[in-house]
Amino acid sequence: MADRHPSSHSYLVGALLARTGDEMAGPALLLAAFTLTGSATGASSLLAAVTVSAAIGGPVLGALLDRSPRPGRLLAGALALYAAGLTVVLGGLGRVPVAVTLLVAVVTGLLGPALSGGWTAQLPRTVPAARLPRANALDAMTFGVAGLAGPVLAGGAAEALGAPTAVVVSAVFIAAAAPAAWRLPPVSGPTARSQAAPVTGIVTSGVRAIAGSRPLARATLTSVLSCAAQGMMIACLPLLGERAAGGAGFGAALLSCAALSALLANAVLARHPHAIAPDTVLWAAPLLQAAALALAATGGPVALVMAVTVMGLAEGPQLTALFAVRHREAPERLRAQVFTTGSSLKITGFAVGAAVAGALADRFLPGALLIAAATAALAAPARFAVRPGGRAARTTTHA
């Protein structure tokens, strides 16, 4: 699957390990918290605590990566600390006050963007410029593989070894990616000499870079709205499964259909990376998502399977396109901040969407899905509504 380039191969292996561990961690923490505390509310609060702090951690981590001459080593440290934080959270469940456990989870979550945007920002240094489009598609595929394998591994480990052990296994996957991060190439050239400058505007630099570039602003707005719609869909899945097939587990299993179709779509893109312009994919994919969500509102089991499959076909290429635009447009000195800030905004959009749909789904499930469809559809006109005054923030990069 990887390019014949040592750094690229190591990068992709590390990305796959880290992201698989991350996809395992959420379900594993939920199961472990419920098993050890007996509280469903406490379990969901723990998961929220791990994810909510990414909105702050992303920009800060991105700034630190951008100013480091060896960002791979900083990334390796973040992965090791994230894995350690998960085990500390596990150790505190049922043994220390809930507030203490939640606080540790929040601190751990600050490092979460290292597994997504922080890692992807290092990709241009691992491959020649001509191979970047294909490497970008392969990088996006690691999210699809992780999304497919992570929950399955978490469930299997919890069933065979116990839910707490599943958390440990997820931490091991994440920590195992640290050596690959450590070996990532250092920053070179004029950018490396500028990294010693003091960090100013550490939290807002990424936001300013995105807002100052029309392509980045459009891509970010589109991805945040799409993520909000995805959050709405996922919040509805347990009820959809219960009503369509008599069990909430059916709804959760549908996530595997979405992950598989996303993976297959990105596999095609990896073979034909220049087939469709990434800017076109970014506005077209949400329209496909909107159609899928409207189909899901009909509620039938066949319609649900088709809907989540189509959602995956849209989400996979959209992620690849988003990465391509960020690599193309982000200033080299702010690359990691652009990626981690964008990831943080997407996580926030996802969380808001899930919260909105969760409040509506119990009252009127089809209505919640139709609102999700409208949110996804809004991404296309919202993209074109971004004013053309922003100047593309291009600099000389590896892309």
Side-chain angles (χ1 to χ4, degrees):
M1 183 175 76
D3 283 291
R4 293 178 181 177
H5 190 285
S7 294
S8 174
H9 178 77
S10 177
Y11 170 96
L12 290 170
V13 170
L16 183 58
L17 285 170
R19 290 161 181 168
T20 300
D22 192 37
E23 292 290 343
M24 285 185 67
L29 277 175
L30 278 173
L31 292 171
F34 183 74
T35 299
L36 296 174
T37 67
S39 169
T41 301
S44 59
S45 297
L46 181 63
L47 183 60
V50 171
T51 56
V52 71
S53 55
I56 297 174
V60 175
L61 179 63
L64 294 174
L65 287 169
D66 279 331
R67 73 193 295 262
S68 171
R70 296 297 303 246
R73 295 185 177 182
L74 180 60
L75 194 60
L79 293 172
L81 288 173
Y82 189 80
L86 290 176
T87 58
V88 172
V89 168
L90 176 63
L93 287 173
R95 296 184 178 91
V96 301
V98 174
V100 175
T101 304
L102 292 177
L103 178 60
V104 175
V106 168
V107 174
T108 300
L110 291 170
L111 300 169
L115 285 74
S116 51
W119 195 294
T120 298
Q122 312 309 316
L123 181 61
R125 282 193 288 276
T126 70
V127 293
R131 296 185 186 177
L132 183 58
R134 180 172 183 269
N136 181 54
L138 293 172
D139 182 39
M141 283 177 65
T142 65
F143 284 94
V145 174
L148 187 62
V152 174
L153 290 171
E159 187 69 24
L161 304 171
T165 304
V167 177
V168 174
V169 173
S170 70
V172 169
F173 267 88
I174 294 168
W182 186 273
R183 292 193 297 269
L184 288 173
V187 176
S188 59
T191 303
R193 293 192 293 273
S194 69
Q195 300 305 313
V199 176
T200 58
I202 191 169
V203 175
T204 59
S205 295
V207 175
R208 289 199 302 268
I210 291 170
S213 165
R214 182 161 49 114
L216 285 175
R218 284 179 162 182
T220 301
L221 178 59
T222 301
S223 67
V224 169
L225 288 170
S226 294
C227 248
Q230 292 163 23
M232 292 178 182
M233 174 69 166
I234 289 177
C236 293
L237 280 179
L239 274 176
L240 283 169
E242 204 169 62
R243 296 183 184 183
F250 176 73
L254 290 173
L255 289 175
S256 294
C257 294
L260 180 59
S261 61
L263 178 62
L264 292 175
N266 275 337
V268 173
L269 277 182
R271 293 182 63 86
H272 308 283
H274 302 289
I276 308 176
D279 302 271
T280 301
V281 174
L282 281 172
W283 68 260
L287 298 179
L288 196 57
Q289 290 174 329
L293 288 161
L295 179 61
T298 64
V302 175
L304 281 179
V305 172
M306 291 178 61
V308 297
T309 300
V310 173
M311 282 282 288
L313 290 174
E315 290 170 15
Q318 186 185 41
L319 183 63
T320 300
L322 177 64
F323 287 171
V325 171
R326 286 178 181 167
H327 283 307
R328 187 187 72 204
E329 302 292 339
E332 179 67 24
R333 64 186 179 84
L334 297 174
R335 182 181 298 276
Q337 289 177 75
V338 167
F339 272 89
T340 56
T341 299
S343 296
S344 299
L345 292 172
K346 285 181 63 180
I347 291 170
T348 301
F350 184 93
V352 170
V356 170
L360 292 174
D362 284 329
R363 297 181 179 88
F364 186 42
L365 181 58
L369 289 166
L370 290 175
I371 290 175
T375 301
L378 181 63
R383 176 186 183 278
F384 290 107
V386 173
R387 301 179 69 178
R391 180 176 59 85
R394 289 189 196 177
T395 60
T396 301
T397 70
H398 295 272

